[in-house]
Amino acid sequence: MRDIDQLAAGVCRREPRALARVLSLIESAHPDARAIVRAVRAAPDGVDRLSEPHRCHVIGVTGAPGVGKSTLTSALVGALRERGSHVAVLAVDPTSPFSGGALLGDRIRMSAHAVDPGVFIRSMAARGHLGGLAAAVPPAIRLLEVAGFDVVLIETVGVGQSEVDIAARADTCLVLLAPGMGDGIQAAKAGVLEIADVFVVNKADRDGARATVSDVRALVRLAARSRGAWRPPVVSCSAHLGTGIEELLTAIDDHARRGIRDGAWERRREARAASEVEALVLARLRGWIVTQVDRSARMLGNGAGDPQELADQITATLIGPRERAGVSDPDPVG
């Protein structure tokens, strides 16, 4: 218990060592992680940090490999620190399907902030989780919120056209593009573009940047949206040169103010909480079902039972026989 209290106190002070240790507990699904978060919320200062509306701004940074996500994230950290904001970064790296390892090297591009006490950077392995994020990202965001960070930046792995989990986790989602990534037709096909709150055309010093900006702006104009809905701005910048970052921050601030004013921010956070609870429930159910299926498989292997009868037993245990009567059989041949 003393160790939990000490870690909770360290999290309240945003100590990197304490934050790193608790995040490791979260990634390993250790039960102490929940106790620590509860202890932080009941900190001696009496402030329940999650009850303070809009305290922490969660910003997602996503895009295809090579568009400059890490470099842009580093530039945003520098600009936010100039404002006096305390910033945390969760950088998700892909996991090798062969070795199971991950480089966790995104923080290398953010080394300029390594000694800044107002910045905390954590690399997380995707561990095979689809959608562009790691499974531990939602509870990690919650920890960083209660720790008192003003902004949490989430950098996804390099994504394609369907990895859109970041839309459910961020208050503001930045979709990065770069010149040479395809023409307007290719842009229109990319499903990931539909989640953007702000489009960022990075590497604006390269040839073709203006054409890319024009293509994306045309796409935004053609997109169907309800009257008065937020229209994603298209910001051109060069993270490497540090140009256009202030304009990007202005667009992010505009989106935050709009979301707070019209309630979109609150609705998005409620959806984020519902998604997190749903994922936890489904994970526990999946574990229970796998155990039951393994037991049934052993029975079948020994020549006992019938697949349909065993499936009926598992389903009846899970949802009850009365509800089972209304569930259609996916295998009419059996």
Side-chain angles (χ1 to χ4, degrees), residues 283-293 313-315 317-318:
R284 294 175 185 179
L285 288 176
R286 191 177 297 113
W288 180 86
I289 291 172
V290 167
T291 301
Q292 299 303 311
V293 169
Q313 292 174 13
I314 294 174
T315 307
T317 303
L318 183 61

Side-chain angles (χ1 to χ4, degrees), residues 72-107:
L72 181 72
T73 300
S74 180
L76 284 173
V77 169
L80 289 165
R81 287 296 293 143
E82 289 182 2
R83 293 181 170 187
S85 299
H86 289 90
V87 185
V89 179
L90 295 176
V92 183
D93 274 7
T95 302
S96 169
F98 303 105
S99 66
L103 178 62
L104 302 180
D106 283 336
R107 68 174 68 186

Side-chain angles (χ1 to χ4, degrees), residues 84-140:
S85 299
H86 289 90
V87 185
V89 179
L90 295 176
V92 183
D93 274 7
T95 302
S96 169
F98 303 105
S99 66
L103 178 62
L104 302 180
D106 283 336
R107 68 174 68 186
I108 295 173
R109 294 191 177 93
M110 306 178 207
S111 58
H113 309 291
V115 296
D116 186 340
V119 178
F120 176 76
I121 301 172
R122 172 77 175 202
S123 292
M124 306 181 78
R127 299 186 179 183
H129 184 75
L130 301 178
L133 295 178
V137 163

Side-chain angles (χ1 to χ4, degrees), residues 66-280:
V67 296
K69 295 185 296 295
S70 296
T71 306
L72 181 72
T73 300
S74 180
L76 284 173
V77 169
L80 289 165
R81 287 296 293 143
E82 289 182 2
R83 293 181 170 187
S85 299
H86 289 90
V87 185
V89 179
L90 295 176
V92 183
D93 274 7
T95 302
S96 169
F98 303 105
S99 66
L103 178 62
L104 302 180
D106 283 336
R107 68 174 68 186
I108 295 173
R109 294 191 177 93
M110 306 178 207
S111 58
H113 309 291
V115 296
D116 186 340
V119 178
F120 176 76
I121 301 172
R122 172 77 175 202
S123 292
M124 306 181 78
R127 299 186 179 183
H129 184 75
L130 301 178
L133 295 178
V137 163
I141 294 173
R142 186 171 296 274
L143 174 75
L144 296 170
E145 285 182 323
V146 299
F149 284 96
D150 302 301
V151 179
V152 175
L153 290 163
I154 307 173
E155 180 194 335
T156 73
V157 301
V159 299
Q161 296 181 352
S162 59
E163 294 89 349
V164 295
D165 274 8
I166 189 62
R169 305 300 175 198
D171 300 315
T172 301
C173 186
L174 312 181
V175 172
L176 271 64
L177 304 164
M181 302 296 289
D183 58 12
I185 300 298
Q186 182 65 27
K189 292 195 301 181
V192 73
L193 297 189
E194 298 174 20
I195 67 172
D197 296 310
V198 179
F199 287 105
V200 184
V201 177
N202 193 22
K203 305 183 181 182
D205 52 313
R206 293 189 177 182
D207 293 338
R210 290 185 178 180
T212 302
V213 171
S214 297
D215 287 342
V216 178
R217 284 178 176 164
L219 181 64
V220 171
R221 286 195 297 268
L222 292 173
R225 57 176 51 85
S226 59
R227 178 175 296 182
W230 171 259
R231 184 184 294 271
V234 183
V235 180
S236 176
C237 73
S238 173
H240 177 67
L241 299 177
T243 59
I245 302 302
E246 284 301 322
E247 291 79 358
L248 175 56
L249 279 180
T250 298
I252 293 171
D253 291 341
D254 289 344
H255 179 259
R257 283 192 291 267
R258 173 68 174 271
I260 293 172
R261 187 173 66 248
D262 64 14
W265 186 312
E266 204 62 40
R267 290 191 297 272
R268 185 175 291 195
R269 292 199 162 206
E270 289 175 359
R272 190 165 82 203
S275 176
E276 184 176 353
V277 173
E278 179 184 5
L280 290 170

